[in-house]
Amino acid sequence: LVGSTTATPKTRKKTRDAFPSTLGTKWTAGKSTYDLQTNGSMQRRVLQGAGGTISCAWTYSAEQSVTSTSAFADRGTGYAHYNGTSWTPAPTVAIENPYIRTGFGGIVRDGGGNENYICHDAAANQLSINKKTGTTWARTNLGTSNVNAPIWPHTATAGNWMYVVASPSDSNIHTNGIRNGYFFSRSNDNGATWIDNMIPMPLVDSVGHYRGGGNSYAISANGNTVAVLFNDMGTDLTMVKSTDNGATWTKT
């Protein structure tokens, strides 16, 4: 209840099914007690593969009796896979191996056909990559620069090209005149090395954007084309697009 003793009491609404549609069949692929999946736009969380296979990944925790001060010490990546017939059991631990506390990532497939989940290690102000080979996950630090403390990554891939856009954890870091601005990386060898390594995002500047921040962007790639969309409260909706794998850009 909110208000004074004379105020009309506010009633609680019943929690509803997140997907009330009656179309198709629903499965519970997994759960999480950590419910802040994004601060803005959602990273890619679903991959469809050959033969009707599906992979899903999300920010995961199994912490119980959650309160506003819960530490979510087990926070990491939850993962489930559908082989065309059935789902894997709902995860009970994060996939990070070796484990670190992570979150706010997205799943992509690299040029070798391997699934990758790229998320952030906020304690170290750097990005982390989980790579699946067969049924085994292995985690390493992504080779992107952590000089400007980039976290909240959004990732897209096309063939061997991998693109990452992120925002710094320190809101006082500026890029192109934007507070808490945007950094961009691209790789042509599935993230092993980087041609651009967390450079200020080309063409996105303080004209129309006074601030950036976590998950205020979305990225997609297809063939030689990559496009990134930027938007936040009180800012322009800006798209930058490249048709040469991020070498040059146009702005809309």
Side-chain angles (χ1 to χ4, degrees):
L1 302 181
V2 178
S4 69
T5 56
T6 59
T8 302
K10 294 182 180 290
T11 58
R12 294 180 180 271
K13 291 185 177 180
K14 181 180 178 181
T15 301
R16 299 182 182 276
D17 186 342
F19 297 98
S21 171
T22 58
L23 297 176
T25 304
K26 301 176 190 177
W27 292 271
T28 299
K31 298 181 179 181
S32 176
T33 57
Y34 189 85
D35 61 357
L36 180 61
Q37 291 294 315
T38 179
N39 297 286
S41 69
M42 187 67 77
Q43 302 95 325
R44 185 171 285 100
R45 296 291 175 84
V46 180
L47 278 181
Q48 186 172 5
T53 60
I54 302 169
S55 294
C56 302
W58 61 94
T59 302
Y60 168 85
S61 175
E63 183 155 332
Q64 299 299 304
S65 303
V66 170
T67 70
S68 60
T69 59
S70 292
F72 296 101
D74 67 335
R75 196 183 80 183
T77 303
Y79 174 84
H81 180 73
Y82 178 72
N83 63 9
T85 303
S86 60
W87 285 92
T88 54
T92 56
V93 294
I95 65 173
E96 275 71 28
N97 179 29
Y99 176 77
I100 58 169
R101 186 178 184 275
T102 63
F104 298 95
I107 189 168
V108 293
R109 184 173 287 107
D110 64 27
N114 298 308
E115 293 177 350
N116 297 255
Y117 192 85
I118 296 172
C119 45
H120 76 216
D121 175 6
N125 291 321
Q126 65 185 19
L127 304 185
S128 180
I129 179 170
N130 295 290
K131 187 178 289 286
K132 184 183 180 188
T133 304
T135 60
T136 302
W137 289 93
R139 184 200 61 78
T140 57
N141 294 332
L142 196 65
T144 48
S145 170
N146 67 345
V147 170
N148 289 300
I151 57 176
W152 301 300
H154 285 233
T155 308
T157 55
N160 292 331
W161 285 91
M162 178 178 287
Y163 310 94
V164 180
V165 60
S167 191
S169 60
D170 185 348
S171 61
N172 290 314
I173 293 177
H174 289 63
T175 58
N176 297 339
I178 307 171
R179 181 177 180 177
N180 209 186
Y182 305 114
F183 292 96
F184 173 77
S185 296
R186 64 188 179 116
S187 167
N188 63 0
D189 55 10
N190 300 311
T193 61
W194 299 91
I195 299 169
D196 294 317
N197 196 340
M198 287 297 156
I199 64 171
M201 187 71 222
L203 302 184
V204 183
D205 54 33
S206 57
V207 179
H209 295 266
Y210 73 94
R211 69 170 186 181
N215 307 125
S216 57
Y217 33 84
I219 186 169
S220 189
N222 184 28
N224 296 327
T225 300
V226 56
V228 194
L229 199 64
F230 298 91
N231 183 232
D232 207 326
M233 292 287 289
T235 71
D236 286 348
L237 178 61
T238 300
M239 182 180 72
V240 292
K241 179 180 177 181
S242 171
T243 57
D244 54 10
N245 303 107
T248 61
W249 298 87
T250 58
K251 176 180 175 179
T252 304

mmCIF file of all heavy atoms in Angstrom, residues 206-211 231-237:
data_model
loop_
_atom_site.group_PDB
_atom_site.id
_atom_site.type_symbol
_atom_site.label_atom_id
_atom_site.label_comp_id
_atom_site.label_asym_id
_atom_site.label_seq_id
_atom_site.Cartn_x
_atom_site.Cartn_y
_atom_site.Cartn_z
ATOM 1 N N SER A 206 27.521 13.647 -29.926
ATOM 2 C CA SER A 206 26.674 14.430 -29.037
ATOM 3 C C SER A 206 25.580 15.196 -29.777
ATOM 4 O O SER A 206 24.745 15.828 -29.128
ATOM 5 C CB SER A 206 27.535 15.405 -28.218
ATOM 6 O OG SER A 206 28.299 16.244 -29.064
ATOM 7 N N VAL A 207 25.575 15.168 -31.089
ATOM 8 C CA VAL A 207 24.466 15.745 -31.846
ATOM 9 C C VAL A 207 23.309 14.736 -31.800
ATOM 10 O O VAL A 207 23.276 13.774 -32.549
ATOM 11 C CB VAL A 207 24.868 16.048 -33.301
ATOM 12 C CG1 VAL A 207 23.668 16.617 -34.069
ATOM 13 C CG2 VAL A 207 26.036 17.023 -33.344
ATOM 14 N N GLY A 208 22.402 14.936 -30.888
ATOM 15 C CA GLY A 208 21.263 14.038 -30.736
ATOM 16 C C GLY A 208 21.408 13.033 -29.621
ATOM 17 O O GLY A 208 20.449 12.342 -29.270
ATOM 18 N N HIS A 209 22.628 12.907 -29.061
ATOM 19 C CA HIS A 209 22.852 11.942 -27.978
ATOM 20 C C HIS A 209 23.663 12.614 -26.877
ATOM 21 O O HIS A 209 24.853 12.850 -27.048
ATOM 22 C CB HIS A 209 23.607 10.714 -28.494
ATOM 23 C CG HIS A 209 22.839 9.913 -29.495
ATOM 24 N ND1 HIS A 209 22.063 8.830 -29.152
ATOM 25 C CD2 HIS A 209 22.705 10.061 -30.839
ATOM 26 C CE1 HIS A 209 21.484 8.332 -30.235
ATOM 27 N NE2 HIS A 209 21.857 9.060 -31.272
ATOM 28 N N TYR A 210 23.011 12.901 -25.752
ATOM 29 C CA TYR A 210 23.753 13.509 -24.657
ATOM 30 C C TYR A 210 24.273 12.462 -23.684
ATOM 31 O O TYR A 210 25.141 12.749 -22.874
ATOM 32 C CB TYR A 210 22.892 14.534 -23.924
ATOM 33 C CG TYR A 210 21.807 13.937 -23.054
ATOM 34 C CD1 TYR A 210 22.027 13.713 -21.694
ATOM 35 C CD2 TYR A 210 20.559 13.616 -23.585
ATOM 36 C CE1 TYR A 210 21.040 13.168 -20.895
ATOM 37 C CE2 TYR A 210 19.571 13.081 -22.785
ATOM 38 C CZ TYR A 210 19.812 12.852 -21.440
ATOM 39 O OH TYR A 210 18.835 12.316 -20.656
ATOM 40 N N ARG A 211 23.726 11.239 -23.762
ATOM 41 C CA ARG A 211 24.208 10.165 -22.906
ATOM 42 C C ARG A 211 23.981 8.832 -23.591
ATOM 43 O O ARG A 211 23.141 8.708 -24.490
ATOM 44 C CB ARG A 211 23.502 10.163 -21.550
ATOM 45 C CG ARG A 211 22.044 9.759 -21.650
ATOM 46 C CD ARG A 211 21.425 9.531 -20.278
ATOM 47 N NE ARG A 211 20.072 9.019 -20.416
ATOM 48 C CZ ARG A 211 19.278 8.734 -19.396
ATOM 49 N NH1 ARG A 211 19.706 8.933 -18.165
ATOM 50 N NH2 ARG A 211 18.067 8.255 -19.597
ATOM 51 N N ASN A 231 19.524 4.369 -29.026
ATOM 52 C CA ASN A 231 18.403 5.176 -28.553
ATOM 53 C C ASN A 231 18.370 5.137 -27.040
ATOM 54 O O ASN A 231 18.698 4.123 -26.426
ATOM 55 C CB ASN A 231 17.080 4.653 -29.123
ATOM 56 C CG ASN A 231 15.874 5.503 -28.717
ATOM 57 O OD1 ASN A 231 14.892 4.981 -28.217
ATOM 58 N ND2 ASN A 231 15.964 6.796 -28.928
ATOM 59 N N ASP A 232 17.996 6.245 -26.422
ATOM 60 C CA ASP A 232 17.756 6.277 -24.987
ATOM 61 C C ASP A 232 16.734 7.369 -24.722
ATOM 62 O O ASP A 232 16.360 8.119 -25.638
ATOM 63 C CB ASP A 232 19.063 6.544 -24.218
ATOM 64 C CG ASP A 232 19.021 5.957 -22.812
ATOM 65 O OD1 ASP A 232 17.926 5.947 -22.214
ATOM 66 O OD2 ASP A 232 20.068 5.525 -22.315
ATOM 67 N N MET A 233 16.278 7.479 -23.482
ATOM 68 C CA MET A 233 15.286 8.496 -23.140
ATOM 69 C C MET A 233 15.808 9.884 -23.508
ATOM 70 O O MET A 233 16.909 10.270 -23.106
ATOM 71 C CB MET A 233 14.977 8.435 -21.646
ATOM 72 C CG MET A 233 14.246 7.182 -21.219
ATOM 73 S SD MET A 233 12.523 7.168 -21.754
ATOM 74 C CE MET A 233 11.834 8.411 -20.679
ATOM 75 N N GLY A 234 15.063 10.608 -24.300
ATOM 76 C CA GLY A 234 15.424 11.976 -24.627
ATOM 77 C C GLY A 234 16.491 12.116 -25.680
ATOM 78 O O GLY A 234 17.033 13.214 -25.874
ATOM 79 N N THR A 235 16.846 11.027 -26.381
ATOM 80 C CA THR A 235 17.860 11.104 -27.428
ATOM 81 C C THR A 235 17.250 10.711 -28.767
ATOM 82 O O THR A 235 16.143 10.197 -28.842
ATOM 83 C CB THR A 235 19.043 10.160 -27.139
ATOM 84 O OG1 THR A 235 18.623 8.802 -27.307
ATOM 85 C CG2 THR A 235 19.560 10.345 -25.726
ATOM 86 N N ASP A 236 18.006 10.976 -29.824
ATOM 87 C CA ASP A 236 17.572 10.555 -31.157
ATOM 88 C C ASP A 236 17.587 9.032 -31.273
ATOM 89 O O ASP A 236 18.298 8.343 -30.533
ATOM 90 C CB ASP A 236 18.509 11.124 -32.228
ATOM 91 C CG ASP A 236 18.306 12.617 -32.453
ATOM 92 O OD1 ASP A 236 17.305 13.160 -31.959
ATOM 93 O OD2 ASP A 236 19.166 13.217 -33.118
ATOM 94 N N LEU A 237 16.801 8.536 -32.209
ATOM 95 C CA LEU A 237 16.903 7.144 -32.630
ATOM 96 C C LEU A 237 17.822 7.135 -33.842
ATOM 97 O O LEU A 237 17.469 7.670 -34.903
ATOM 98 C CB LEU A 237 15.527 6.579 -32.979
ATOM 99 C CG LEU A 237 15.474 5.131 -33.483
ATOM 100 C CD1 LEU A 237 15.998 4.168 -32.426
ATOM 101 C CD2 LEU A 237 14.044 4.746 -33.876
#
